[in-house]
Amino acid sequence: MVRTAVAFSPGHISGYFRRVEGIGPEDTGSVGAGVVISEGVRSTVEKAPETSVRVVRQGHASAGSPPIEYALERLGVTARVTTECRLPIGAGFGLSAAALLATLTAVNHLFDLDLSADDVSARAHEAEVLHRTGLGDVAASISGGVVCRKGAGIHADITRIYPEEPLYAVSLGALPTASVLSSAEAMARIADAFPDRCPRDLPDFCLLSRGFAEKSGLIAPEVRQVLVACDAERVPASMTMLGNGVFAAGDGAEQVLSLFGEVYRLRVARRGAYLIEVKP
């Protein structure tokens, strides 16, 4: 009998977004653009008498994840979950959505739930929206690419392009997503700043995202310092949404960002969540 399942989901860097309020979680979310990234979350799920979640990043562990615990309770299963990631948590890399997608993909196989990929995504999206940890990361991370979401929820019209060049990012700390998503004033500024088109390529994504970041008023002083340095070297860059970090593309990006912290060299992901292995 299978007792353990392991799955992976890519993360997602959002460049610009606008909240869409629906009747329920399924049609609430956001429109906007982002990059599904090669780095993400690996989740190991074991059958257990009661649910527990352990979050591990580079050897440091913390306990508990309300969105994951909620999603498992809704499915009527109990499990011991360990999520692992290399990127910093709460820094705009879409790791909450990735943890949900990876965990539910593993849970689906472990408990023979026979959920479709849409079912898994819908449950992850519901948990994200209800816990205010994200709006469009799940919909984006269903597959790979530089994504442009034209509607809310997992069934929205989404276009995807797959550039080969890398994207670089640096994190300056966490930004509580819920605090921004709960602010009517912040949401109004964000709506006014929203670009009216999809990105053509990776540099264009950076350009559109930068305009949005400027108009939305979300740029923190420490992020501004990095962006000024990028501007000086003509490096296309913007702020990770929502996190105190910067992403950049093109020649010189890695060198400029390295002045401000550890640089993450990322590739555009080619696929969404998938099962890695099952073990007895």
Side-chain angles (χ1 to χ4, degrees):
M1 182 175 67
V2 174
R3 296 184 182 276
T4 304
V6 184
F8 174 84
S9 173
H12 173 247
I13 295 176
S14 179
Y16 56 91
F17 71 98
R18 184 180 68 224
R19 184 184 179 99
V20 177
E21 199 66 50
I23 297 173
E26 66 281 353
D27 54 3
T28 294
S30 66
V31 293
V35 180
V36 185
I37 54 177
S38 51
E39 291 279 349
V41 175
R42 175 188 173 104
S43 182
T44 301
V45 181
E46 305 169 78
K47 291 182 179 179
E50 59 182 17
T51 292
S52 63
V53 182
R54 187 167 173 259
V55 179
V56 180
R57 179 183 178 256
Q58 296 188 350
H60 300 283
S62 60
S65 169
I68 290 177
E69 291 156 17
Y70 167 85
L72 266 61
E73 183 179 5
R74 287 270 287 152
L75 286 169
V77 300
T78 56
R80 183 182 302 110
V81 179
T82 301
T83 66
E84 300 170 87
C85 61
R86 185 173 76 96
L87 296 176
I89 297 167
F93 294 111
L95 299 184
S96 174
L100 278 161
L101 284 167
T103 298
L104 293 182
T105 297
V107 164
N108 187 31
H109 287 274
L110 185 61
F111 291 92
D112 295 319
L113 299 180
D114 200 28
L115 299 175
S116 67
D118 273 2
D119 292 333
V120 168
S121 300
R123 290 177 179 275
H125 178 74
E126 176 188 32
E128 277 266 275
V129 170
L130 291 178
H131 289 83
R132 296 179 177 177
T133 50
L135 290 171
D137 291 324
V138 169
S141 298
I142 290 170
S143 187
V146 176
V147 303
C148 185
R149 295 170 287 105
K150 302 174 183 178
I154 64 164
H155 298 296
D157 180 17
I158 302 176
T159 62
R160 300 177 188 269
I161 57 175
Y162 296 88
E164 293 290 339
E165 66 263 39
L167 186 71
Y168 302 93
V170 64
S171 175
L172 307 173
L175 177 68
T177 300
S179 66
V180 177
L181 299 185
S182 302
S183 167
E185 181 182 350
M187 286 295 103
R189 290 199 313 269
I190 285 168
D192 289 340
F194 188 76
D196 60 357
R197 66 176 177 86
C198 293
R200 293 184 290 265
D201 52 29
L202 210 49
D204 191 43
F205 167 70
C206 293
L207 177 68
L208 291 174
S209 300
R210 178 65 178 276
F212 170 80
E214 295 287 352
K215 293 176 185 176
S216 67
L218 292 172
I219 299 176
E222 59 268 31
V223 171
R224 171 69 63 196
Q225 187 179 5
V226 183
L227 293 177
V228 167
C230 289
D231 292 344
E233 297 298 325
R234 300 180 182 272
V235 170
S238 189
M239 173 183 170
T240 56
M241 296 289 169
L242 289 158
N244 278 337
V246 172
F247 60 85
D251 295 339
E254 186 172 19
Q255 184 175 357
V256 174
L257 294 186
S258 68
L259 301 173
F260 300 93
E262 180 181 0
V263 179
Y264 302 103
R265 189 178 193 273
L266 307 168
R267 288 285 181 183
V268 177
R270 300 279 157 173
R271 63 191 293 195
Y274 59 92
L275 185 71
I276 296 174
E277 63 177 334
V278 290
K279 298 181 282 188

